[in-house]
Amino acid sequence: MIKVLAIDDEPLALQQLVAYIRKIPFLELAGECQSAIEAKEILNSETIDAIFCDINMPDLNGMDFVKSLAAPPLVVFTTAYSEYAVEGFKVDAVDYLLKPFGLDDFRRAANRLQERCERASQQQQNIPLTSPLSPLPSEADDTIFVKTDYRVVKLAVSDIRYVEGMSEYLKIHLESQPKPIVTLLSMKKMEEYLPPYFMRIHRSYIINLKKIQEVNKNRVIMDQDTFLPIGDNYREAFNEYLNTKFLGK
């Protein structure tokens, strides 16, 4: 299923868009919004694969909204103004629906969206996280790419606060956004790829040593709401690191 968000400031147009989405078996409606501001709040709180977005909206138009996103989902633009078509494809839109459009037009756009999702998923499966052509990142080379749902997103390594292991998946917690990136990857692979200023302190946690605020007994405090345990098997190595940075007796 492809999780999608419907965005249009006109209630009747939004109602029709939602009705079309519900008729496509492989689309899952995650929410409906009447403004880009409202949509941005949803994108910050949950993972969305694609958006169907009107362009001509008050406050923040759809084109500027997509350009403002650090890692935008796939986009199908909807609008009554044909002059936006070329600009829409400049931001790599999957498709462009000119209002008024019918179900057949919408279905064609949805099929293109599904094809793009499947292609991105296949490409990601064929690209290993590490290879002879992809050396371990240094502070000068601060970029990694990870797959989350049907998207491949670019992350700055220095933006990572900590990594949390969940069975076969990882949650990558970032400084720049409240919602973690969830990806199918092992802790071992992630640990091997990250630069030396990251350290594994527990079987379920790898932390960015530069982001530590405090160490209190058997816990590392990353912020006022995040307390991470230090595992027995990792305590000695972590204490050795602390000793290299400790000032005083």
Side-chain angles (χ1 to χ4, degrees):
M1 296 290 284
I2 303 172
K3 288 183 66 175
V4 301
L5 197 61
I7 311 166
D8 199 306
D9 65 307
E10 299 176 6
L12 290 179
L14 182 61
Q15 183 179 347
Q16 182 190 57
L17 184 58
V18 167
Y20 285 167
I21 290 171
R22 287 177 171 152
K23 289 179 183 293
I24 306 299
F26 54 82
L27 297 183
E28 176 187 348
L29 182 65
E32 50 189 277
C33 310
Q34 288 189 258
S35 74
I37 305 299
E38 184 183 352
K40 205 161 193 175
E41 292 177 359
I42 294 177
L43 289 171
N44 285 336
S45 63
E46 60 181 293
T47 300
I48 302 296
D49 301 313
I51 58 176
F52 288 84
C53 183
D54 186 29
I55 292 178
N56 192 31
M57 295 187 293
D59 298 327
L60 181 63
N61 73 49
M63 196 72 64
D64 290 337
F65 164 60
V66 171
K67 290 177 181 177
S68 74
L69 299 174
L74 295 174
V75 183
V76 176
F77 282 120
T78 66
T79 186
Y81 302 93
S82 59
E83 61 265 26
Y84 285 117
V86 173
E87 191 177 356
F89 287 113
K90 283 182 180 177
V91 297
D92 197 28
V94 173
D95 208 346
Y96 174 94
L97 289 168
L98 184 63
K99 297 178 182 179
F101 53 86
L103 180 58
D104 287 343
D105 293 325
F106 182 86
R107 184 178 285 112
R108 279 192 291 271
N111 287 337
R112 290 191 184 105
L113 179 62
Q114 185 183 41
E115 290 170 5
R116 179 78 73 89
C117 287
E118 290 174 349
R119 189 161 63 246
S121 179
Q122 184 62 40
Q123 287 173 348
Q124 180 62 20
Q125 289 174 11
N126 292 335
I127 301 174
L129 182 62
T130 57
S131 74
L133 299 178
S134 302
L136 297 179
S138 65
E139 294 192 44
D141 177 16
D142 194 43
T143 299
I144 61 172
F145 290 84
V146 297
K147 179 187 175 187
T148 177
D149 294 316
Y150 289 101
R151 296 179 294 145
V152 177
V153 298
K154 180 174 72 172
L155 304 179
V157 175
S158 58
D159 190 35
I160 299 173
R161 297 173 61 238
Y162 65 97
V163 179
E164 179 181 0
M166 306 182 304
S167 186
E168 297 177 343
Y169 289 83
L170 299 181
K171 278 186 178 180
I172 303 175
H173 297 262
L174 304 173
E175 192 96 81
S176 61
Q177 64 183 59
K179 183 185 67 172
I181 300 293
V182 179
T183 185
L184 179 62
L185 192 65
S186 71
M187 288 286 279
K188 185 175 184 296
K189 281 287 185 186
M190 193 68 174
E191 187 178 14
E192 290 173 353
Y193 195 82
L194 290 171
Y197 58 88
F198 283 83
M199 178 177 286
R200 192 166 182 175
I201 61 164
H202 188 275
R203 61 185 178 85
S204 300
Y205 296 104
I206 300 170
I207 64 169
N208 184 335
L209 297 169
K210 297 180 180 181
K211 308 291 186 184
I212 295 174
Q213 289 191 0
E214 186 178 333
V215 179
N216 189 334
K217 297 182 180 178
N218 292 324
R219 300 183 303 178
V220 173
I221 301 173
M222 306 300 287
D223 58 50
Q224 62 181 1
D225 299 315
T226 308
F227 302 81
L228 306 181
I230 303 170
D232 291 340
N233 293 335
Y234 305 91
R235 185 173 291 110
E236 182 178 352
F238 183 67
N239 285 339
E240 288 179 1
Y241 163 76
L242 289 182
N243 287 335
T244 65
K245 301 292 184 180
F246 191 78
L247 299 179
K249 297 181 180 180

